[in-house]
Amino acid sequence: METIKTVVLQGSAIALALLILASLLRAVLGPRFTDRIIAVNVINTLVVAEIVLLSVLLREDFLVDVALVYALLSFLAVVIVARLVLLKRRGMPGQKKQRGGSRHV
């Protein structure tokens, strides 16, 4: 029974690693900036899942704490980047607006 559990956990870890690589490809190629932000967020979520999976596989409880801290930092990073994108699209206070057509990033 223990070997089946180990094989399933290792297979899940490999599947998560492949999904991380696919998301990384989307983050690099993604046509728009928002696609890249979402892909990075998906990568962070998959990394948290991978760390928790490794915590179970290696029987190391402290890795769950590492995963929680990483998830919190990932959430804060996405919120900050989203805020910066909104400020850039609206135009920062004190910044002159450009005349002519609008630019999309």
Side-chain angles (χ1 to χ4, degrees), residues 53-102:
L53 191 81
L54 288 175
S55 171
V56 173
L57 185 63
L58 300 175
R59 295 186 181 109
E60 297 290 346
D61 295 337
F62 74 92
L63 286 175
V64 176
D65 297 333
V66 171
L68 284 172
V69 170
Y70 184 81
L72 287 172
L73 290 174
S74 168
F75 172 73
L76 286 176
V78 169
V79 167
I80 289 170
V81 169
R83 177 77 175 150
L84 289 174
V85 168
L86 281 175
L87 286 176
K88 184 176 180 182
R89 288 194 187 256
R90 288 184 188 164
M92 295 209 181
Q95 186 180 24
K96 294 182 180 179
K97 293 191 177 189
Q98 295 178 350
R99 293 187 177 180
S102 62

Side-chain angles (χ1 to χ4, degrees), residues 4-20:
I4 295 173
K5 177 183 169 184
T6 304
V7 169
V8 168
L9 288 173
Q10 287 176 349
S12 300
I14 291 170
L16 283 173
L18 292 174
L19 288 173
I20 289 171

Side-chain angles (χ1 to χ4, degrees), residues 15-69:
L16 283 173
L18 292 174
L19 288 173
I20 289 171
L21 289 175
S23 297
L24 182 63
L25 184 66
R26 172 52 57 198
V28 171
L29 296 178
R32 294 181 305 241
F33 183 73
T34 52
D35 293 333
R36 291 183 174 105
I37 295 292
I38 291 171
V40 168
N41 196 15
V42 168
I43 289 170
N44 288 332
T45 303
L46 290 172
V47 167
V48 169
E50 185 85 36
I51 292 172
V52 170
L53 191 81
L54 288 175
S55 171
V56 173
L57 185 63
L58 300 175
R59 295 186 181 109
E60 297 290 346
D61 295 337
F62 74 92
L63 286 175
V64 176
D65 297 333
V66 171
L68 284 172
V69 170

